[in-house]
Amino acid sequence: MLPDKGDNYREFYFLSKKRVSCVFLPELRGVLEIFPTKGWLCTLSHTGEMNLLHPFSRTNIPLPSINGLLTSRSEYTIKEIRELYIDQGILSVNSSDTSDYALVVVRHHFAMMSFWRPGDFNWTKINFKNDNLYNVVYFKGQFYVLTFDLEVWVFDIAEPIVKPRLLVHQLSRSNNSRKFYLVEVSGALIIVTQSDYWKASDDGHGYYDSIRTIEFNIYEVNEITGKLNEINTLGDSSIFLGRNETTCIDSSRFTAGTKPNYIYFTNVYGPYGYMGAYNIKNGCIESLCPELELELSLSSNRLSTSWVIPSDNRRIES
């Protein structure tokens, strides 16, 4: 899904067609944030109202307002909403398939987590004593959290009192590793580390002319012992990374567009935005669409760029 252009349509770059298609989605006009998860879009408005929207059927599920998770104040500035609300929305399962699902919302820099299930009138806060989070995934009936301290925690919202427990103690961090992700791949819990090259400017002010991803490393987590094992292949699977929920698909089920044993990613660092595909076998990064990369780098709404995986795995025709 490409950056918002301020109208009733959203542009999608379809990997299978290698072209951009416009989808009529007036529900997204003027929303503050969008978080793709399991083929749905978790949306947040300027007033704190939230919804789950299916981008291709336009099915809409109202969610409780997130205002109650902050303070008793009834009015917030747009800047305060951006800083105090959420960074990620994660469905446990595809809500098109069952009514037995949960949605967890996360604020990374304050380690704020809450969940909602169909029938709940409000969000339920999760007591988690940690300063910052990277991301959250649902895996084998539980939610797993990767923190800025490079610890992995796990919690089960089915328990009467949700108590996250520590699974993996602090991971090692290389000098170039800037981002870390949790993702499920073929029934295994995986940690992906992303290393970037920061090219300093020549003006002597400490700024950077460009930032580019140079490599990824992959580790399988033993969900019982917490031990890590580095792996060098995803088999037929492909991983999608970005601001959205981390996602993995079986590329052998698709006739075109995605390649097995690849990591597809979008990146945003301040004024820099780009996208690419990382070949795990040879360590090379391939361009997906140079024209789109240029558009992304110039867009003032580059943060709204994210991957959307159709929840029913069908080809979507424009």
Side-chain angles (χ1 to χ4, degrees), residues 101-139:
Y101 65 90
L103 175 70
V104 169
V105 294
V106 181
R107 177 61 179 136
H108 291 167
H109 291 289
F110 298 100
M112 294 167 53
M113 292 190 294
S114 302
F115 69 88
W116 170 88
R117 289 175 290 202
D120 292 350
F121 292 103
N122 297 298
W123 297 95
T124 300
K125 292 183 179 181
I126 299 170
N127 184 24
F128 186 64
K129 296 180 178 179
N130 200 290
D131 290 334
N132 298 291
L133 310 176
Y134 270 117
N135 75 320
V136 178
V137 297
Y138 186 75
F139 175 70

Side-chain angles (χ1 to χ4, degrees), residues 30 34 44 53 73 81-82 188 197 220 237 242 272 280 285 298:
I34 301 172
L44 171 65
L53 174 69
R73 288 175 55 191
I81 291 175
R82 282 192 181 278
Y197 170 71
E220 182 175 351
S237 297
Y272 308 106
I280 295 173
I285 292 178
L298 297 176

Side-chain angles (χ1 to χ4, degrees), residues 64-315:
S65 170
I66 207 164
N67 289 330
L69 292 179
L70 301 177
T71 69
S72 59
R73 288 175 55 191
S74 59
E75 296 182 358
Y76 299 91
T77 66
I78 293 177
K79 181 176 183 294
E80 287 174 324
I81 291 175
R82 282 192 181 278
E83 291 179 347
L84 297 175
Y85 277 28
I86 63 176
D87 295 297
Q88 198 177 16
I90 304 297
L91 280 170
S92 57
V93 294
N94 181 6
S95 56
S96 299
D97 299 334
T98 178
S99 60
D100 185 16
Y101 65 90
L103 175 70
V104 169
V105 294
V106 181
R107 177 61 179 136
H108 291 167
H109 291 289
F110 298 100
M112 294 167 53
M113 292 190 294
S114 302
F115 69 88
W116 170 88
R117 289 175 290 202
D120 292 350
F121 292 103
N122 297 298
W123 297 95
T124 300
K125 292 183 179 181
I126 299 170
N127 184 24
F128 186 64
K129 296 180 178 179
N130 200 290
D131 290 334
N132 298 291
L133 310 176
Y134 270 117
N135 75 320
V136 178
V137 297
Y138 186 75
F139 175 70
K140 293 185 178 179
Q142 299 182 103
F143 287 92
Y144 288 74
V145 183
L146 180 61
T147 73
F148 275 26
D149 293 329
L150 300 186
E151 297 174 337
V152 177
W153 294 71
V154 58
F155 63 91
D156 187 349
I157 63 171
E159 297 176 351
I161 299 177
V162 180
K163 294 182 178 180
R165 63 178 178 85
L166 181 62
L167 174 64
V168 178
H169 292 270
Q170 192 171 40
L171 307 171
S172 60
R173 183 194 300 264
S174 72
N175 291 334
N176 292 321
S177 296
R178 296 287 180 174
K179 289 188 176 182
F180 301 81
Y181 305 88
L182 280 175
V183 60
E184 178 182 356
V185 178
S186 302
L189 185 64
I190 300 295
I191 292 176
V192 180
T193 69
Q194 176 180 327
S195 299
D196 299 315
Y197 170 71
W198 297 55
K199 181 182 177 182
S201 63
D202 298 327
D203 57 14
H205 295 295
Y207 299 111
Y208 295 94
D209 282 336
S210 62
I211 303 170
R212 304 298 294 184
T213 294
I214 55 177
E215 69 173 354
F216 293 87
N217 294 98
I218 309 167
Y219 303 87
E220 182 175 351
V221 181
N222 185 312
E223 67 266 27
I224 304 301
T225 65
K227 301 296 184 181
L228 302 183
N229 177 42
E230 187 167 9
I231 58 177
N232 55 19
T233 181
L234 296 175
D236 289 331
S237 297
S238 301
I239 293 176
F240 291 80
L241 305 177
R243 292 190 71 244
N244 51 293
E245 173 187 31
T246 53
T247 307
C248 177
I249 65 169
D250 182 354
S251 295
S252 65
R253 298 177 57 187
F254 296 83
T255 58
T258 58
K259 300 177 182 179
N261 207 31
Y262 269 68
I263 296 176
Y264 293 85
F265 63 95
T266 61
N267 256 350
V268 175
Y269 285 109
Y272 308 106
Y274 58 95
M275 58 197 297
Y278 179 77
N279 185 327
I280 295 173
K281 183 176 181 180
N282 61 23
C284 294
I285 292 178
E286 303 171 8
S287 175
L288 293 179
C289 180
E291 295 82 4
L292 283 182
E293 290 191 30
L294 176 61
E295 179 180 342
L296 176 59
S297 67
L298 297 176
S299 172
S300 60
N301 293 317
R302 64 181 66 89
L303 283 174
S304 61
T305 303
S306 53
W307 300 106
V308 179
I309 309 298
S311 58
D312 55 6
N313 288 329
R314 293 180 300 182
R315 293 173 180 265

